[in-house]
């Protein structure tokens, strides 16, 4: 019997976990081709994880083992909808899994949100991580106060990066252009604003605890913003909430030490407007409304404005209010949720019926939530559904074979980067870093990556 041939679009964690799961099957032979529009694999592991969190990136060792499987191929620097159409992938493969993530950043919908000095967190994170699309982002750090809107881990990452001693960051794989900008930064205070209360914060205990360990940084939490300790009530809280409050109470009890830089965590605050300076050309002020928690008829708690609004000076605003996916022509898209339309891991048409052989995994399936192990479990679920469809005869097998598809791609993409090419990029980046004692010096342009991938090995 012919092997099952599956294309996976996107080489981030969910894509690689799906590939690994498929290739581990014992009762069916599977060939997997992974596509990525960038020459480099690993998606948000490379471009989303904060550079001072290197342990998280170690998961790529698992992906490297997947890539060594004889049934695996990587086609980097290939963009679906430009180099290859979704309809062609459907013809060339028995099944296609979309794992493109949710790389688009949202902005708070308030007046002034498009003034220069506003950045979605996806852009800011991509900038300091060396994403080719964000390397030219104009991040003005010649301001004393920055505001981060949001209360998740990405918000805390952004705040931490802005005040961390650049000497500490120089030991990471942070992009060189970001390191240079941070060395000359004037930012001395970062205010992190959460729309709801401390109990509803979306960050994790480890992230907030890390803030209190930053040398030369005071972390300010108003004790009035944090519920007082109540052993019985705390015991009934979910573990993450309980531990978040434990860390926030500890921070609230600290006296400021007069450090040169500081992070201020504020809760029950909403940005209701962003103002420009006298020249009208960039962010100068942020208007902040005070909220209160109101319980709805369905038992949920929502933040409602009290009517109290204050204005604060700020020259940089990071919008850490969520991510959304990007549509691909020919694939039904749920604009409200920012994901591909899907049910039970199958992509569905606008009539609600499954598109035969089309599947989805990761953030483009369920929205931007969860951590790396969440994507592993999500990939397992998607692969199970796909294999069930194969077993039930619901998938139409393609007449193309692996060699035919490779010829088509090579003809269309002269700068194709396969996994050996990525390994050459990896070797080049790590070699650049050796003399500086860093894990790697990232190449931040596609041209430089392609050049490194095509260099003969020494």
């Amino acid at each position: 019997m012919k092997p099952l041939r599956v294309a996976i679009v996107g080489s981030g964690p969910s894509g690689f976990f799906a590939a690994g799961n498929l290739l581990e099957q014992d009762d069916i032979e599977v060939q997997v081709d992974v596509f990525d529009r960038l020459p480099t694999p690993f998606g948000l592991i490379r471009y989303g994880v904060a550079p001072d969190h290197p342990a998280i990136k170690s998961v790529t060792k698992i992906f490297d083992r997947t890539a060594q499987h004889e049934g695996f191929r990587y086609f980097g620097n290939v963009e679906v909808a430009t180099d290859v159409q979704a309809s062609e992938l459907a013809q060339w493969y028995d099944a296609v899994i979309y794992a493109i993530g949710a790389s688009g950043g949202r902005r708070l919908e308030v007046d002034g949100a498009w003034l220069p000095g506003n950045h979605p967190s996806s852009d800011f994170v991509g900038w300091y991580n060396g994403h080719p699309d964000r390397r030219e982002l104009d991040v003005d750090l010649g301001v004393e106060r920055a505001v981060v809107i949001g209360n998740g881990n990405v918000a805390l990452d952004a705040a931490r990066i802005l005040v961390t001693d650049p000497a500490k960051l120089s030991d990471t794989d942070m992009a060189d252009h970001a390191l240079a900008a941070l060395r000359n930064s004037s930012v001395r205070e970062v205010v992190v604003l959460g729309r709801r209360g401390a109990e509803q914060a979306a960050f994790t205990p480890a992230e907030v605890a890390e803030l209190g360990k930053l040398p030369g940084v005071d972390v300010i939490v108003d004790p009035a913003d944090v519920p007082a300790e109540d052993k019985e009530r705390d015991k009934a809280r979910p573990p993450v909430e309980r531990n978040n409050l434990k860390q926030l109470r500890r921070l609230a009890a600290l006296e400021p030490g007069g450090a040169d830089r500081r992070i201020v965590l504020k809760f029950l605050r909403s940005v209701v407007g962003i103002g420009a300076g006298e020249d009208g050309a960039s962010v100068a002020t942020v208007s902040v409304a005070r909220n209160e928690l109101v319980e709805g008829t369905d038992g949920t708690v929502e933040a409602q404005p009290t009517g109290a609004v204050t204005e604060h000076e700020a020259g940089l605003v990071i919008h850490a209010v969520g991510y959304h996916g990007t549509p691909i022509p020919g694939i039904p898209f749920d604009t409200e949720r920012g994901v591909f339309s899907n049910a039970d891991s199958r992509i569905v048409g606008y009539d609600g019926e499954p598109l035969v052989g089309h599947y989805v995994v990761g953030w483009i399936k369920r929205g931007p939530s969860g951590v790396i192990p969440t994507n592993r479990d999500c990939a397992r679920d998607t692969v199970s559904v796909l294999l069930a469809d194969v077993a039930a005869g619901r998938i139409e097998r393609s007449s193309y074979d692996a060699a035919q598809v490779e010829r088509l791609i090579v003809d269309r993409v002269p700068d194709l980067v396969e996994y050996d090419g990525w390994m050459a990029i990896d070797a080049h980046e790590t070699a650049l870093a050796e003399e500086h004692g860093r894990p790697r010096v990232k190449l931040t342009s596609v041209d430089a990556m392609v050049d490194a991938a095509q260099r003969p090995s020494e």
Side-chain angles (χ1 to χ4, degrees):
M1 179 180 290
K2 290 173 56 179
L4 177 70
R5 299 188 56 256
V6 180
I8 298 177
V9 182
S11 68
S14 59
F16 258 98
F17 281 132
N21 201 292
L22 283 164
L23 293 168
E24 289 169 0
Q25 299 301 314
D26 293 325
D27 54 353
I28 183 172
E29 182 184 356
V30 184
Q31 295 175 346
V32 175
D33 290 349
V34 174
F35 291 80
D36 201 290
R37 71 180 185 88
L38 293 177
T40 53
F42 308 146
L44 283 178
I45 298 295
R46 180 177 169 94
Y47 296 118
V49 174
D52 56 349
H53 286 172
I56 298 175
K57 303 183 184 188
S58 63
V59 71
T60 59
K61 295 177 182 178
I62 297 173
F63 303 155
D64 280 331
R65 290 198 293 271
T66 296
Q68 301 313 308
H69 195 286
E70 62 180 2
F72 178 95
R73 295 190 301 188
Y74 176 72
F75 294 133
N77 205 32
V78 180
E79 185 167 10
V80 175
T82 300
D83 301 307
V84 174
Q85 301 303 312
S87 58
E88 292 178 311
L89 292 179
Q91 294 175 351
W92 298 349
Y93 293 90
D94 303 326
V96 184
I97 299 175
Y98 285 90
I100 64 171
S103 59
R106 300 184 186 274
R107 294 178 190 240
L108 200 66
E109 296 181 3
V110 296
D111 290 342
W114 290 91
L115 284 167
N118 287 278
H119 301 286
S121 58
S122 59
D123 288 358
F124 182 62
V125 171
W127 172 76
Y128 66 64
N129 273 320
H131 194 293
D133 294 349
R134 275 82 179 216
R135 64 194 293 261
E136 301 294 342
L137 191 70
D138 183 14
V139 180
D140 182 6
L141 299 181
V143 301
E144 290 193 2
R145 179 183 289 129
V147 169
V148 179
I149 306 171
N151 243 352
N153 283 347
V154 174
L156 297 194
D157 281 347
R160 190 182 67 255
I161 291 297
L162 283 168
V163 298
T164 295
D165 184 348
K168 179 181 178 183
L169 295 173
S170 65
D171 293 333
T172 73
D173 65 355
M174 176 176 278
D176 282 351
H177 60 253
L179 274 173
L182 288 165
R183 289 189 184 105
N184 296 305
S185 173
S186 298
V187 175
R188 292 297 176 265
E189 180 177 272
V190 181
V191 182
V192 182
L193 301 176
R195 180 176 60 87
R196 298 193 294 170
E199 297 116 310
Q200 292 84 36
F203 48 66
T204 56
E207 284 278 342
V208 70
E210 187 175 3
L211 298 184
K213 300 175 184 177
L214 292 175
V217 178
D218 283 335
V219 181
I220 311 299
V221 178
D222 186 343
D225 278 355
V226 184
E229 184 176 2
D230 183 328
K231 291 184 178 180
E232 288 302 315
R233 185 176 180 186
D234 288 347
K235 187 176 179 180
R237 297 181 189 276
V240 169
E241 180 182 317
R242 181 170 63 248
N243 289 321
N244 273 343
L245 291 178
K246 179 180 178 181
Q247 296 298 335
L248 290 170
R249 289 169 186 149
R250 183 180 63 81
L251 293 172
L254 297 175
E255 289 292 333
D260 183 49
R261 301 183 184 192
R262 67 183 200 162
I263 294 174
V264 182
L265 302 180
K266 289 184 176 291
F267 302 94
L268 292 172
R269 307 297 203 283
S270 290
V271 172
V272 294
I274 299 170
E278 292 183 1
D279 60 1
S282 60
V283 171
T285 61
V286 174
S287 295
V288 180
R290 184 67 188 250
N291 299 328
E292 61 182 357
L293 294 178
V294 177
E295 186 171 344
T297 55
D298 59 354
T300 58
V301 176
E302 289 295 330
Q304 299 291 341
T306 63
V309 177
T310 55
E311 187 175 87
H312 307 270
E313 292 184 1
L316 174 66
V317 180
I318 306 297
H319 298 244
V321 293
Y323 292 73
H324 62 81
T326 302
I328 287 179
I331 305 298
F333 192 76
D334 183 335
T335 55
E336 183 174 341
R337 296 182 57 215
V339 300
F340 287 168
S341 300
N342 70 93
D344 194 21
S345 302
R346 300 177 180 91
I347 294 177
V348 299
Y350 294 111
D351 60 359
E353 292 299 315
L355 297 186
V356 175
H358 290 71
Y359 303 86
V360 67
V361 67
W363 282 11
I364 198 63
K365 167 184 171 180
R366 63 182 195 277
S369 63
V371 291
I372 290 172
T374 314
N375 287 315
R376 179 193 59 209
D377 297 341
C378 181
R380 186 183 299 114
D381 292 342
T382 295
V383 168
S384 294
V385 170
L386 188 161
L387 294 176
D389 286 348
V390 172
R394 288 189 286 264
I395 285 183
E396 299 174 10
R397 303 300 288 265
S398 171
S399 61
Y400 288 79
D401 62 28
Q404 287 175 293
V405 171
E406 183 171 18
R407 285 194 296 270
L408 287 166
I409 295 169
V410 168
D411 286 346
R412 293 189 190 186
V413 187
D415 290 334
L416 175 70
V417 175
E418 299 183 73
Y419 210 77
D420 285 348
W422 151 243
M423 294 178 70
I425 296 171
D426 180 52
H428 182 65
E429 290 182 337
T430 53
L432 288 174
E434 281 183 4
E435 62 182 279
H436 303 291
R438 299 175 61 189
R440 74 174 61 244
V441 172
K442 285 182 179 176
L443 302 178
T444 61
S445 77
V446 169
D447 287 345
M449 294 173 188
V450 169
D451 181 61
Q454 294 177 345
R455 291 179 186 178
S457 57
E458 297 180 0

